[in-house]
Amino acid sequence: MERDQILREILSDPELMEKYDIKQNELETFTTSPSKPYNKKIVEVLSVIINENDNHLNRSMIYKKLKNVHNI
């Protein structure tokens, strides 16, 4: 499964769509590519996890990247 498909599949859950105010037409435009600005923080966080896991980064490195996303 492609990275973008994984992201969309996760976020297509009705509870998540409601919680994060995601519209169906908006969902279809989500991508894991950092070249496009992320319009929702949840998309950015999930994209980092999906991309870095696919790039075989270990958990601690992924955690550090997530900390940077949240400016912790």
Side-chain angles (χ1 to χ4, degrees), residues 8-37:
R8 292 179 191 133
E9 181 70 27
I10 292 168
L11 291 173
S12 68
D13 179 85
E15 288 181 32
L16 290 176
M17 288 182 75
E18 182 179 340
K19 180 175 183 171
Y20 295 105
D21 192 30
I22 298 171
K23 313 258 182 300
Q24 185 63 39
N25 61 341
E26 186 179 37
L27 178 67
E28 295 164 9
T29 66
F30 289 157
T31 178
T32 58
S33 173
S35 61
K36 279 179 77 175

Side-chain angles (χ1 to χ4, degrees), residues 32-56:
T32 58
S33 173
S35 61
K36 279 179 77 175
Y38 297 109
N39 57 353
K40 294 189 182 286
K41 186 64 88 174
I42 187 67
V43 175
E44 184 174 8
V45 169
L46 287 174
S47 293
V48 167
I49 294 169
I50 292 166
N51 286 331
E52 302 311 339
N53 188 53
D54 201 34
N55 291 334
H56 307 292

Side-chain angles (χ1 to χ4, degrees), residues 53-65:
N53 188 53
D54 201 34
N55 291 334
H56 307 292
L57 243 58
N58 65 37
R59 291 177 186 155
S60 63
M61 293 302 294
I62 293 173
Y63 176 72
K64 287 178 184 177
K65 287 193 172 240

